[in-house]
Amino acid sequence: MTTPATGNDRGLRAALASLRGNRPFRRLWFSNVFFFGGVWTQTLVLGWLAFEMTHSEFLVAVFTAARLAPMFLGPVAGAFADRHNRVRLLVVACGWAMGAVSVVAALATAGLLPYWVLVVGGLAIGLAQSPSQPARASLVLELVGRENLSNANALNAMALNMTQVIGPGLGGALIATVGAPAALWVSTAWYGASLVLLLPLRGYGKAVHDGTQSVLAMVAGGFRIIGRNRLAVAVLLVTLAANTLLWPVYQSFMPVFAQDSLGLDAAGLGALLTCCGIGGLVGSLVIAGLGDFRHKGGVFVIGTAVWASLWVLFALSRSVPLSFVLMCLIGLSSAAFGVLQTTLLLLTTAPDVHGRALGLQELAIGIMPLATLTLGAIAERAGLDRTVFGAGLLLVVALGVLTLRIPALLRFDGRRSA
């Protein structure tokens, strides 16, 4: 008779299947953990330094915009991922990030770091992070295959959630104990560890394009090919809508909710964000445990609609306990969107355009800084709670219209070629 402990153990083994039985993917996964751990640690430390230097919210925003600007290079980065060896691109990205942070850390240690160098350093670090994402995500399919793609992407999302929870906390603790320059050296070491883990994968990630076309021609060709793929376009539209309407709220406006709507201090804000991170970890683990499940498209659309609906309820809440519960559920439901947007994009497109499809996804995510400014301007006039309430409802309506126009997305499971 199977005991509950044995059943739980079997479920955990299923959730960790791609890590347990696939050494190349396991190396990539741990490399991602160290890479994004470095990203989140230095993001907090550099933001702290920017404010400490300037005491200007606007100049901190300028630094953040410079760091995020390379996301607009997504289509070009996707063409590079199709044209060149993907592992080599990741090795270059890790080495570039390690070098850029080292320069900033050395100048900060010597007390010679002006604000403009910090901005240039943020741009350089962004050039390592964002353009490498198409290569990083498309490599996963090669390493695990179609059947294990949902499991592997869920594990990658779990790694990202873990580093998003741990990295800023570690950065803050390091600033308090050893100072910001030393904290930057720690994040440099994280990039170094990521680089070392990638080196044994150099036999993977071979180019899928012959390289006879120019990069710009490949970008234009990718737009044409993907534009004719209704399922891929639908997935990209959901990504664009979510990053326009709701992700900026989590990224930028949670301190306003915490203070003005719930009366929380900084510790309360941290606890609120931790609840979301824990929910995201649990959601990613659940999707990982499902393996190659049916109706991935339906889970993606319905899960995203549930996520948007929970934001509507959160915008209305003035109860601290209820808000904490809702934030846990928001994190849990966000996994359906966060994991499956990449899984579906890879499953609905041909291998020779995977990099460019993921580059378009990076471009859709890159709308977030502009969307943040727009939502902030609306919130100034209408109030943040009304703005988020309206944005959540608008996303639910947009998802409904999209599924009426492209009902095949709800039925799509990825078990056959798109």
Side-chain angles (χ1 to χ4, degrees):
M1 181 177 178
T2 302
T3 64
T6 303
N8 291 338
D9 185 58
R10 185 180 297 122
L12 183 61
R13 287 200 302 269
L16 301 178
S18 295
L19 285 175
R20 294 178 65 251
N22 189 321
R23 181 176 291 181
F25 175 72
R26 187 161 62 244
R27 288 184 179 277
L28 178 64
W29 189 84
F30 278 107
S31 175
N32 289 342
V33 168
F34 282 110
F35 185 86
F36 288 108
V39 166
W40 286 109
T41 301
Q42 54 85 15
T43 295
L44 182 137
V45 176
L46 292 177
W48 175 275
L49 283 172
F51 187 70
E52 194 175 54
M53 288 177 183
T54 64
H55 297 285
S56 166
E57 290 84 353
F58 175 74
L59 291 178
V60 173
V62 169
F63 162 76
T64 303
R67 199 183 69 78
L68 296 177
M71 296 183 78
F72 289 107
L73 296 175
V76 175
F80 270 93
D82 286 336
R83 186 187 178 98
H84 300 285
N85 182 287
R86 289 159 179 173
V87 173
R88 192 174 299 135
L89 288 175
L90 295 181
V91 169
V92 170
C94 277
W96 177 275
M98 190 165 58
V101 179
S102 295
V103 171
V104 175
L107 291 172
T109 301
L112 301 174
L113 181 64
Y115 169 77
W116 70 268
V117 172
L118 189 67
V119 172
V120 173
L123 177 63
I125 294 164
L127 286 169
Q129 179 187 350
S130 298
S132 68
Q133 288 302 95
R136 192 180 306 278
S138 56
L139 181 62
V140 173
L141 180 58
E142 178 184 345
L143 296 180
V144 303
R146 293 174 68 90
E147 295 78 10
N148 293 315
L149 184 60
S150 291
N151 175 265
N153 278 334
L155 290 171
N156 276 334
M158 188 172 67
L160 184 59
N161 282 321
M162 284 193 310
T163 58
Q164 192 169 352
V165 171
I166 295 171
L170 177 62
L174 288 170
I175 290 173
T177 55
V178 296
L184 289 175
W185 287 117
V186 170
S187 67
T188 302
W190 283 52
Y191 287 130
S194 177
L195 175 61
V196 169
L197 286 163
L198 285 172
L199 294 178
L201 299 178
R202 284 174 292 179
Y204 297 93
K206 294 180 180 178
V208 295
H209 200 276
D210 58 16
T212 55
Q213 285 184 302
S214 68
V215 170
L216 292 180
M218 288 181 65
V219 170
F223 271 104
R224 287 194 297 271
I225 294 169
I226 296 164
R228 292 193 293 265
N229 186 328
R230 285 169 61 84
L231 287 173
V233 169
V235 174
L236 288 168
L237 286 174
V238 174
T239 297
L240 179 64
N243 282 280
T244 299
L245 295 170
L246 285 180
W247 272 116
V249 176
Y250 180 77
Q251 294 288 338
S252 301
F253 300 123
M254 290 306 294
V256 181
F257 268 120
Q259 295 180 43
D260 291 354
S261 299
L262 302 174
L264 298 175
D265 58 11
L269 171 62
L272 199 64
L273 297 179
T274 299
C275 283
C276 188
I278 292 172
L281 283 173
V282 173
S284 298
L285 196 59
V286 169
I287 293 178
L290 292 175
D292 188 26
F293 60 94
R294 298 182 62 192
H295 303 304
K296 297 180 183 70
V299 173
F300 173 63
V301 173
I302 295 171
T304 304
V306 169
W307 175 67
S309 301
L310 288 166
W311 272 112
V312 169
L313 296 176
F314 183 82
L316 296 174
S317 174
R318 294 298 178 270
S319 165
V320 172
L322 176 60
S323 295
F324 273 89
V325 172
L326 288 171
M327 192 52 60
C328 287
L329 295 175
I330 285 171
L332 183 70
S333 58
S334 71
F337 169 76
V339 172
L340 292 175
Q341 62 172 336
T342 300
T343 299
L344 291 174
L345 198 56
L346 289 169
L347 293 177
T348 57
T349 54
D352 60 346
V353 294
H354 277 167
R356 282 166 284 178
L358 292 164
L360 287 174
Q361 181 191 72
E362 191 73 7
L363 181 62
I365 296 171
I367 196 67
M368 199 184 305
L370 297 177
T372 300
L373 294 174
T374 303
L375 289 175
I378 296 172
E380 283 283 338
R381 292 179 174 271
L384 183 60
D385 51 352
R386 293 179 181 178
T387 301
V388 175
F389 179 86
L393 284 182
L394 185 58
L395 181 55
V396 173
V397 171
L399 290 167
V401 171
L402 184 67
T403 52
L404 287 175
R405 295 293 302 272
I406 311 177
L409 181 60
L410 287 175
R411 301 188 299 270
F412 184 78
D413 59 21
R415 293 183 176 182
R416 60 187 181 277
S417 179

XYZ file of all heavy atoms in Angstrom, residues 49 97 150 162 246 262 291 354 400 417:
67
model
N 22.890 52.349 -4.985
C 23.980 53.288 -5.249
C 23.487 54.504 -6.027
O 23.905 55.637 -5.760
C 25.090 52.585 -6.029
C 26.011 51.655 -5.228
C 26.931 50.894 -6.177
C 26.823 52.447 -4.215
N 28.784 40.184 -18.630
C 28.195 40.646 -17.367
C 29.235 40.671 -16.261
O 29.304 41.631 -15.473
C 27.022 39.741 -16.981
N 7.384 21.602 -20.886
C 6.620 22.283 -19.831
C 7.285 22.094 -18.477
O 7.386 23.035 -17.675
C 5.178 21.757 -19.787
O 4.464 22.160 -20.923
N 12.943 31.859 -7.257
C 13.821 31.707 -6.085
C 14.832 32.836 -6.023
O 15.036 33.447 -4.970
C 14.555 30.357 -6.142
C 13.716 29.166 -5.775
S 14.721 27.670 -5.503
C 15.742 27.619 -6.955
N -0.567 44.766 -16.400
C -0.488 44.346 -14.995
C 0.920 44.108 -14.454
O 1.168 44.386 -13.276
C -1.333 43.078 -14.782
C -2.844 43.319 -14.749
C -3.591 42.023 -14.527
C -3.223 44.329 -13.676
N -2.952 49.812 2.426
C -2.910 48.819 3.495
C -2.215 49.317 4.753
O -2.245 48.632 5.785
C -2.213 47.542 2.987
C -2.857 46.890 1.750
C -1.997 45.728 1.256
C -4.267 46.415 2.066
N 3.892 17.606 -15.998
C 4.594 17.015 -17.138
C 4.017 17.493 -18.456
O 3.663 18.658 -18.623
N 12.894 29.688 -33.706
C 12.689 29.761 -32.263
C 13.354 30.992 -31.648
O 12.763 31.682 -30.808
C 13.234 28.495 -31.591
C 12.279 27.356 -31.635
N 12.629 26.053 -31.326
C 10.949 27.309 -31.933
C 11.580 25.270 -31.454
N 10.555 26.000 -31.824
N -10.807 37.254 -23.460
C -12.047 36.708 -23.988
C -12.177 36.944 -25.482
O -12.556 36.029 -26.238
N 3.116 18.811 -34.199
C 3.742 20.004 -34.774
C 2.679 21.024 -35.141
O 1.640 20.706 -35.696
C 4.553 19.627 -36.014
O 5.139 20.752 -36.590
